[in-house]
Amino acid sequence: VKGEEFTELYLESGSSLQRKMMYAYGTLVGAMHRKRINSKVRPRDIICRNRRFGNHEESLVLIDRERGKTRYMDMGDRVAIKQMLNDWHKNAGFLNYPGLVQLSAFWLGYCKERPEFREFTEQRKDLFLEIFGGFTAQPDRDQFDRHYAGWMRG
């Protein structure tokens, strides 16, 4: 596959491109979960075919490094959260621990592919913090509300 490695491009890019990349990364993970695919989506396994990150299908290619059959399962709230938490715990360092703005972009992309996650509620806010709270400076509620709600409004 021709292109640039996601992690390398991310680390050398400015905040604006990082947000776009994280949005596309979120849509990729969300699409997999929507299709009931339970698989690791590591940043180091993603190739950027181009720098138009509005849609993961146009810009990203996931290199499958897992062995065995693809596992399909219900990816409801708890299972999806557990999978993302596990993935971020292992992989956030490869992206130099993204900040709140980049993580909000990932979440927005994820929610685009998982409509049941779109509603801005305290529960969804808590899910976001459960997944990402330990991987960035702990945001206060006001800061979180500004970034997350702003992204959700578009």
Side-chain angles (χ1 to χ4, degrees), residues 95-152:
L95 299 177
N96 202 22
Y97 298 94
L100 182 63
V101 172
Q102 288 81 5
L103 294 174
S104 296
F106 175 92
W107 188 246
L108 178 66
Y110 185 85
C111 292
K112 177 182 181 279
E113 295 294 329
R114 299 286 308 266
E116 67 273 23
F117 279 76
R118 286 186 190 162
E119 186 178 344
F120 184 65
T121 64
E122 288 299 316
Q123 181 184 13
R124 296 294 181 231
K125 197 183 302 186
D126 291 341
L127 290 174
F128 179 94
L129 291 171
E130 182 178 339
I131 299 166
F132 302 117
F135 302 105
T136 186
Q138 196 71 353
D140 64 41
R141 292 303 260 197
D142 291 340
Q143 181 186 26
F144 176 85
D145 288 343
R146 282 193 310 274
H147 287 293
Y148 183 67
W151 272 105
M152 296 309 281

Side-chain angles (χ1 to χ4, degrees), residues 24-98:
Y25 182 23
T27 64
L28 174 62
V29 174
M32 290 182 66
H33 286 180
R34 182 177 37 79
K35 294 174 183 175
R36 303 181 51 205
I37 299 172
N38 184 13
S39 182
K40 294 179 182 85
V41 184
R42 296 176 287 249
R44 65 181 185 264
D45 294 339
I46 299 172
I47 302 295
C48 304
R49 295 185 335 189
N50 59 57
R51 293 187 179 199
R52 296 183 305 270
F53 293 106
N55 181 332
H56 71 273
E57 293 172 344
E58 295 175 4
S59 57
L60 303 180
V61 175
L62 178 63
I63 307 300
D64 184 3
R65 300 182 199 263
E66 293 189 26
R67 295 183 180 170
K69 292 183 174 185
T70 301
R71 297 175 306 191
Y72 294 93
M73 64 184 294
D74 176 32
M75 294 300 288
D77 284 8
R78 287 284 123 205
V79 175
I81 298 309
K82 183 178 178 183
Q83 178 73 42
M84 282 191 282
L85 184 59
N86 185 46
D87 288 350
W88 276 105
H89 179 70
K90 293 179 180 176
N91 295 298
F94 290 106
L95 299 177
N96 202 22
Y97 298 94

Side-chain angles (χ1 to χ4, degrees), residues 6-23:
F6 186 92
T7 52
E8 289 180 12
L9 179 59
Y10 181 88
L11 292 173
E12 67 187 33
S13 296
S15 180
S16 178
L17 186 58
Q18 286 179 343
R19 282 194 311 271
K20 293 174 185 175
M21 293 176 72
M22 291 297 281
Y23 177 85

